[in-house]
Amino acid sequence: MTTRARSFDAAAALYAAHRPGYPPALFDAVEALAGRPLAGARVADVGAGTGIATGLLRERGAEVLAVEPGDGMAAEFRRTHPGIPIVRGDGDRLPLATGAFDLLTYAQAWHWTDPARSVPEARRVLRPGGALAMWWNDTDVTVPWIAEQEERLRVFFEVKGESRRTLPEGLGEFTTRSVTWSRRITLDDHLANLASHSAFLVLGEARTRAYFAGERELLNPLFPDGIVEEQYVVNVSVAVV
Ligand SMILES: C[S@@+](CC[C@H](N)C(=O)[O-])C[C@H]1O[C@@H](n2cnc3c(N)ncnc32)[C@H](O)[C@@H]1O
């Protein structure tokens, strides 16, 4: 695993406290695209992290098992979800039995895998007719202040070109749906959420602190009551294998 893929471990509590969840409509879309209800489904949630998606899958009635490579994230998962089983491992080498799962989910985690390995592994552990679902909570850049914030991030991290996500080959056709949703949180929580992203986790404290001082100064006048509405588009892609 790369330094950036491991970066979440030192910030697991920050991550668990501030990262957004996922709306019910996302799970409705997963059920529609996978062609089966989550209730009673045998699901492996890979790259489970602190369990944000895993807990919601369990609430929908799935028999869910978490898979997580990172020490810090797995420890936070065990602390906050003591009733859900978790095994250590990653998407490139799943510690799971062949043909044992109806659904594999990757909530903001597929991009950390090596598709040359994670695609055959997904095929191996899914039963015939099982499904792979992957999703990301993207910020809604149709909202002007969010588009401006994203542009500042691109400039700061010198991101070149479009960040287009490529869906893996070798799993058949993916179908993609987008679900918009929002949450209202304090400006402090909004900034803490931003700071829990891997790009900042590997940046170092001084540069991160300087960036957030500037960001706070820009956002304060936009949100005089200190409440921010974060708007998201969850892009979910599902392939039935
Ligand atoms: C952005 S977090 C997502 C956590 C959680 N699924 C959620 O929705 O909040 C990405 C997670 O992927 C894990 N990860 C890193 N490399 C991985 C790999 N090769 N396979 C699976 N998970 C990986 C990280 O340890 C981290 O917990």
Side-chain angles (χ1 to χ4, degrees):
M1 277 170 78
T2 63
T3 308
R4 197 160 159 182
R6 283 198 311 265
S7 66
F8 297 107
D9 282 316
L14 177 77
Y15 190 104
H18 299 291
R19 278 295 181 101
Y22 303 104
L26 165 68
F27 298 100
D28 297 341
V30 170
E31 288 181 331
L33 296 175
R36 62 151 300 145
L38 285 166
R42 293 163 304 168
V43 180
D45 184 35
V46 187
T50 62
I52 296 175
T54 326
L56 294 167
L57 288 161
R58 164 65 82 86
E59 281 173 23
R60 297 286 290 227
E63 285 173 29
V64 62
L65 167 69
V67 180
E68 169 55 40
D71 293 340
M73 295 299 255
E76 185 68 21
F77 184 104
R78 289 199 176 97
R79 200 175 67 73
T80 50
H81 298 89
I84 304 182
I86 178 169
V87 292
R88 304 298 304 283
D90 65 49
D92 299 337
R93 210 167 29 190
L94 290 169
L96 305 174
T98 299
F101 291 88
D102 300 307
L103 179 66
L104 275 190
T105 54
Y106 280 84
Q108 316 210 140
W110 178 266
H111 58 288
W112 296 115
T113 73
D114 171 4
R117 295 173 181 201
S118 53
V119 166
E121 277 295 80
R123 275 200 168 282
R124 181 181 66 77
V125 304
L126 284 170
R127 65 161 174 81
L132 170 66
M134 55 184 73
W135 63 81
W136 288 267
N137 242 337
D138 295 324
T139 52
D140 185 348
V141 291
T142 63
V143 180
W145 76 266
I146 294 177
E148 286 161 20
Q149 182 177 66
E150 288 293 330
E151 186 52 27
R152 286 194 292 279
L153 289 166
R154 285 169 60 85
V155 170
F156 185 72
F157 288 110
E158 297 175 8
V159 177
K160 308 256 188 311
E162 288 300 302
S163 63
R164 225 176 270 136
R165 215 168 266 138
T166 48
L167 294 171
E169 292 183 1
L171 288 157
E173 282 281 296
F174 276 91
T175 309
T176 299
R177 295 271 161 82
S178 298
V179 176
T180 55
W181 72 287
S182 69
R183 64 173 187 168
R184 286 168 62 77
I185 55 172
T186 65
L187 178 57
D188 284 346
D189 284 342
H190 167 68
L191 295 173
N193 168 28
L194 208 55
S196 76
H197 285 78
S198 58
F200 286 111
L201 298 177
V202 296
L203 183 65
E205 213 184 310
R207 289 190 71 201
T208 299
R209 206 176 317 116
Y211 185 88
F212 280 98
E215 195 62 21
R216 183 182 290 280
E217 211 164 290
L218 287 168
L219 294 182
N220 261 333
L222 298 184
F223 304 104
D225 62 356
I227 300 297
V228 174
E229 182 165 14
E230 287 183 341
Q231 278 159 285
Y232 291 99
V233 182
V234 192
N235 290 298
V236 56
S237 299
V238 178
V240 177
V241 303

mmCIF file of all heavy atoms in Angstrom, residues 1 5 8 15 19 22 46-49 52 68-69 73 90-92 107-109 112-113, ligand 1:
data_model
loop_
_atom_site.group_PDB
_atom_site.id
_atom_site.type_symbol
_atom_site.label_atom_id
_atom_site.label_comp_id
_atom_site.label_asym_id
_atom_site.label_seq_id
_atom_site.Cartn_x
_atom_site.Cartn_y
_atom_site.Cartn_z
ATOM 1 N N MET A 1 0.839 -1.213 0.000
ATOM 2 C CA MET A 1 0.000 0.000 0.000
ATOM 3 C C MET A 1 0.872 1.261 0.000
ATOM 4 O O MET A 1 1.921 1.295 0.618
ATOM 5 C CB MET A 1 -0.881 0.016 1.255
ATOM 6 C CG MET A 1 -2.159 -0.792 1.136
ATOM 7 S SD MET A 1 -2.978 -0.942 2.727
ATOM 8 C CE MET A 1 -3.747 0.654 2.898
ATOM 9 N N ALA A 5 -2.410 5.763 0.692
ATOM 10 C CA ALA A 5 -3.467 4.794 1.015
ATOM 11 C C ALA A 5 -3.462 4.466 2.509
ATOM 12 O O ALA A 5 -4.494 4.156 3.090
ATOM 13 C CB ALA A 5 -3.290 3.521 0.194
ATOM 14 N N PHE A 8 -4.860 7.281 6.175
ATOM 15 C CA PHE A 8 -6.081 7.378 6.983
ATOM 16 C C PHE A 8 -5.861 6.856 8.403
ATOM 17 O O PHE A 8 -6.540 7.278 9.337
ATOM 18 C CB PHE A 8 -7.203 6.563 6.333
ATOM 19 C CG PHE A 8 -7.587 7.062 4.977
ATOM 20 C CD1 PHE A 8 -7.240 6.376 3.836
ATOM 21 C CD2 PHE A 8 -8.310 8.246 4.839
ATOM 22 C CE1 PHE A 8 -7.601 6.838 2.576
ATOM 23 C CE2 PHE A 8 -8.683 8.708 3.581
ATOM 24 C CZ PHE A 8 -8.322 8.006 2.458
ATOM 25 N N TYR A 15 -11.552 11.079 10.857
ATOM 26 C CA TYR A 15 -12.318 10.566 9.733
ATOM 27 C C TYR A 15 -13.730 10.169 10.180
ATOM 28 O O TYR A 15 -14.736 10.581 9.597
ATOM 29 C CB TYR A 15 -11.585 9.350 9.149
ATOM 30 C CG TYR A 15 -12.151 8.870 7.842
ATOM 31 C CD1 TYR A 15 -11.503 9.129 6.642
ATOM 32 C CD2 TYR A 15 -13.344 8.165 7.803
ATOM 33 C CE1 TYR A 15 -12.032 8.692 5.440
ATOM 34 C CE2 TYR A 15 -13.878 7.736 6.603
ATOM 35 C CZ TYR A 15 -13.221 8.003 5.423
ATOM 36 O OH TYR A 15 -13.751 7.580 4.244
ATOM 37 N N ARG A 19 -16.402 12.708 8.358
ATOM 38 C CA ARG A 19 -16.755 12.357 6.976
ATOM 39 C C ARG A 19 -18.268 12.195 6.841
ATOM 40 O O ARG A 19 -18.924 11.713 7.780
ATOM 41 C CB ARG A 19 -16.064 11.059 6.569
ATOM 42 C CG ARG A 19 -14.632 11.245 6.132
ATOM 43 C CD ARG A 19 -14.526 12.070 4.867
ATOM 44 N NE ARG A 19 -13.141 12.195 4.463
ATOM 45 C CZ ARG A 19 -12.577 11.478 3.496
ATOM 46 N NH1 ARG A 19 -13.264 10.572 2.828
ATOM 47 N NH2 ARG A 19 -11.316 11.663 3.183
ATOM 48 N N TYR A 22 -23.976 8.363 3.851
ATOM 49 C CA TYR A 22 -24.548 8.131 2.532
ATOM 50 C C TYR A 22 -26.062 8.130 2.664
ATOM 51 O O TYR A 22 -26.592 7.609 3.647
ATOM 52 C CB TYR A 22 -24.057 6.790 1.975
ATOM 53 C CG TYR A 22 -22.540 6.692 1.910
ATOM 54 C CD1 TYR A 22 -21.836 5.939 2.840
ATOM 55 C CD2 TYR A 22 -21.824 7.391 0.945
ATOM 56 C CE1 TYR A 22 -20.444 5.866 2.797
ATOM 57 C CE2 TYR A 22 -20.436 7.327 0.896
ATOM 58 C CZ TYR A 22 -19.754 6.562 1.832
ATOM 59 O OH TYR A 22 -18.381 6.504 1.778
ATOM 60 N N VAL A 46 -15.621 -3.729 1.299
ATOM 61 C CA VAL A 46 -14.154 -3.740 1.237
ATOM 62 C C VAL A 46 -13.604 -2.311 1.325
ATOM 63 O O VAL A 46 -14.139 -1.397 0.697
ATOM 64 C CB VAL A 46 -13.678 -4.423 -0.064
ATOM 65 C CG1 VAL A 46 -12.161 -4.597 -0.045
ATOM 66 C CG2 VAL A 46 -14.367 -5.771 -0.255
ATOM 67 N N GLY A 47 -12.519 -2.134 2.088
ATOM 68 C CA GLY A 47 -12.024 -0.789 2.380
ATOM 69 C C GLY A 47 -13.032 -0.111 3.279
ATOM 70 O O GLY A 47 -13.376 1.053 3.109
ATOM 71 N N ALA A 48 -13.479 -0.878 4.284
ATOM 72 C CA ALA A 48 -14.601 -0.445 5.137
ATOM 73 C C ALA A 48 -14.256 0.761 5.993
ATOM 74 O O ALA A 48 -15.156 1.467 6.463
ATOM 75 C CB ALA A 48 -15.048 -1.608 6.020
ATOM 76 N N GLY A 49 -12.963 1.000 6.206
ATOM 77 C CA GLY A 49 -12.563 2.153 7.005
ATOM 78 C C GLY A 49 -13.140 2.087 8.407
ATOM 79 O O GLY A 49 -13.077 1.046 9.078
ATOM 80 N N ILE A 52 -18.452 3.576 8.015
ATOM 81 C CA ILE A 52 -19.567 4.483 7.681
ATOM 82 C C ILE A 52 -20.583 3.775 6.772
ATOM 83 O O ILE A 52 -21.782 3.771 7.046
ATOM 84 C CB ILE A 52 -19.037 5.786 7.034
ATOM 85 C CG1 ILE A 52 -18.183 6.566 8.034
ATOM 86 C CG2 ILE A 52 -20.206 6.657 6.551
ATOM 87 C CD1 ILE A 52 -17.498 7.808 7.464
ATOM 88 N N GLU A 68 -10.796 -4.543 5.857
ATOM 89 C CA GLU A 68 -10.066 -3.278 5.958
ATOM 90 C C GLU A 68 -8.571 -3.556 6.188
ATOM 91 O O GLU A 68 -8.209 -4.307 7.082
ATOM 92 C CB GLU A 68 -10.649 -2.425 7.116
ATOM 93 C CG GLU A 68 -9.849 -1.217 7.524
ATOM 94 C CD GLU A 68 -9.541 -0.230 6.396
ATOM 95 O OE1 GLU A 68 -10.404 0.044 5.540
ATOM 96 O OE2 GLU A 68 -8.383 0.258 6.364
ATOM 97 N N PRO A 69 -7.707 -2.921 5.352
ATOM 98 C CA PRO A 69 -6.272 -3.172 5.518
ATOM 99 C C PRO A 69 -5.596 -2.358 6.635
ATOM 100 O O PRO A 69 -4.577 -2.791 7.171
ATOM 101 C CB PRO A 69 -5.678 -2.770 4.155
ATOM 102 C CG PRO A 69 -6.634 -1.772 3.602
ATOM 103 C CD PRO A 69 -7.987 -2.152 4.129
ATOM 104 N N MET A 73 -7.731 2.400 11.061
ATOM 105 C CA MET A 73 -9.132 2.386 10.625
ATOM 106 C C MET A 73 -9.850 1.163 11.216
ATOM 107 O O MET A 73 -10.977 1.250 11.692
ATOM 108 C CB MET A 73 -9.224 2.371 9.096
ATOM 109 C CG MET A 73 -8.688 3.626 8.425
ATOM 110 S SD MET A 73 -9.563 5.135 8.905
ATOM 111 C CE MET A 73 -10.551 5.470 7.448
ATOM 112 N N ASP A 90 -7.094 -6.597 1.931
ATOM 113 C CA ASP A 90 -7.431 -5.524 0.983
ATOM 114 C C ASP A 90 -8.002 -6.111 -0.295
ATOM 115 O O ASP A 90 -8.053 -7.334 -0.465
ATOM 116 C CB ASP A 90 -6.227 -4.609 0.724
ATOM 117 C CG ASP A 90 -5.089 -5.323 0.034
ATOM 118 O OD1 ASP A 90 -5.339 -6.008 -0.975
ATOM 119 O OD2 ASP A 90 -3.936 -5.198 0.501
ATOM 120 N N GLY A 91 -8.442 -5.217 -1.170
ATOM 121 C CA GLY A 91 -9.154 -5.632 -2.368
ATOM 122 C C GLY A 91 -8.294 -6.404 -3.352
ATOM 123 O O GLY A 91 -8.815 -7.102 -4.223
ATOM 124 N N ASP A 92 -6.973 -6.275 -3.219
ATOM 125 C CA ASP A 92 -6.078 -6.959 -4.157
ATOM 126 C C ASP A 92 -5.836 -8.413 -3.758
ATOM 127 O O ASP A 92 -5.293 -9.193 -4.536
ATOM 128 C CB ASP A 92 -4.742 -6.223 -4.233
ATOM 129 C CG ASP A 92 -4.927 -4.801 -4.736
ATOM 130 O OD1 ASP A 92 -5.939 -4.546 -5.415
ATOM 131 O OD2 ASP A 92 -4.070 -3.945 -4.434
ATOM 132 N N ALA A 107 -17.003 1.507 -0.840
ATOM 133 C CA ALA A 107 -17.450 2.883 -0.624
ATOM 134 C C ALA A 107 -16.218 3.788 -0.564
ATOM 135 O O ALA A 107 -15.461 3.752 0.410
ATOM 136 C CB ALA A 107 -18.244 2.977 0.689
ATOM 137 N N GLN A 108 -15.979 4.521 -1.621
ATOM 138 C CA GLN A 108 -14.823 5.408 -1.724
ATOM 139 C C GLN A 108 -13.516 4.657 -1.500
ATOM 140 O O GLN A 108 -12.605 5.179 -0.843
ATOM 141 C CB GLN A 108 -14.939 6.570 -0.714
ATOM 142 C CG GLN A 108 -16.320 7.164 -0.688
ATOM 143 C CD GLN A 108 -16.335 8.615 -0.338
ATOM 144 O OE1 GLN A 108 -17.105 9.358 -0.937
ATOM 145 N NE2 GLN A 108 -15.504 9.046 0.569
ATOM 146 N N ALA A 109 -13.422 3.452 -1.997
ATOM 147 C CA ALA A 109 -12.226 2.647 -1.722
ATOM 148 C C ALA A 109 -11.670 1.935 -2.960
ATOM 149 O O ALA A 109 -10.506 1.564 -2.955
ATOM 150 C CB ALA A 109 -12.536 1.617 -0.631
ATOM 151 N N TRP A 112 -8.214 2.741 -4.546
ATOM 152 C CA TRP A 112 -6.953 2.381 -3.879
ATOM 153 C C TRP A 112 -6.462 1.012 -4.318
ATOM 154 O O TRP A 112 -5.372 0.585 -3.929
ATOM 155 C CB TRP A 112 -7.122 2.383 -2.353
ATOM 156 C CG TRP A 112 -7.445 3.722 -1.784
ATOM 157 C CD1 TRP A 112 -8.590 4.086 -1.155
ATOM 158 C CD2 TRP A 112 -6.605 4.889 -1.791
ATOM 159 N NE1 TRP A 112 -8.521 5.403 -0.778
ATOM 160 C CE2 TRP A 112 -7.320 5.916 -1.148
ATOM 161 C CE3 TRP A 112 -5.313 5.159 -2.284
ATOM 162 C CZ2 TRP A 112 -6.792 7.197 -0.983
ATOM 163 C CZ3 TRP A 112 -4.789 6.439 -2.118
ATOM 164 C CH2 TRP A 112 -5.528 7.435 -1.482
ATOM 165 N N THR A 113 -7.268 0.299 -5.079
ATOM 166 C CA THR A 113 -6.870 -1.066 -5.459
ATOM 167 C C THR A 113 -6.118 -1.061 -6.786
ATOM 168 O O THR A 113 -6.155 -0.080 -7.524
ATOM 169 C CB THR A 113 -8.097 -1.999 -5.590
ATOM 170 O OG1 THR A 113 -8.821 -1.671 -6.787
ATOM 171 C CG2 THR A 113 -9.018 -1.914 -4.383
HETATM 172 C C1 LIG B 1 -11.732 6.989 1.805
HETATM 173 S S1 LIG B 1 -11.663 5.600 2.910
HETATM 174 C C2 LIG B 1 -13.309 4.932 2.780
HETATM 175 C C3 LIG B 1 -13.753 4.247 4.055
HETATM 176 C C4 LIG B 1 -15.216 3.784 4.088
HETATM 177 N N1 LIG B 1 -15.518 2.809 3.068
HETATM 178 C C5 LIG B 1 -16.177 4.945 3.996
HETATM 179 O O1 LIG B 1 -17.083 4.921 3.173
HETATM 180 O O2 LIG B 1 -16.022 5.889 4.786
HETATM 181 C C6 LIG B 1 -10.685 4.474 1.997
HETATM 182 C C7 LIG B 1 -10.372 3.173 2.743
HETATM 183 O O3 LIG B 1 -9.750 2.249 1.825
HETATM 184 C C8 LIG B 1 -8.750 1.555 2.522
HETATM 185 N N2 LIG B 1 -7.808 1.010 1.535
HETATM 186 C C9 LIG B 1 -6.578 1.448 1.179
HETATM 187 N N3 LIG B 1 -6.040 0.630 0.248
HETATM 188 C C10 LIG B 1 -6.959 -0.341 -0.014
HETATM 189 C C11 LIG B 1 -7.004 -1.475 -0.889
HETATM 190 N N4 LIG B 1 -5.981 -1.766 -1.708
HETATM 191 N N5 LIG B 1 -8.115 -2.253 -0.866
HETATM 192 C C12 LIG B 1 -9.159 -1.962 -0.073
HETATM 193 N N6 LIG B 1 -9.169 -0.891 0.775
HETATM 194 C C13 LIG B 1 -8.093 -0.090 0.797
HETATM 195 C C14 LIG B 1 -8.158 2.596 3.465
HETATM 196 O O4 LIG B 1 -7.452 1.969 4.542
HETATM 197 C C15 LIG B 1 -9.403 3.334 3.919
HETATM 198 O O5 LIG B 1 -9.975 2.767 5.067
#
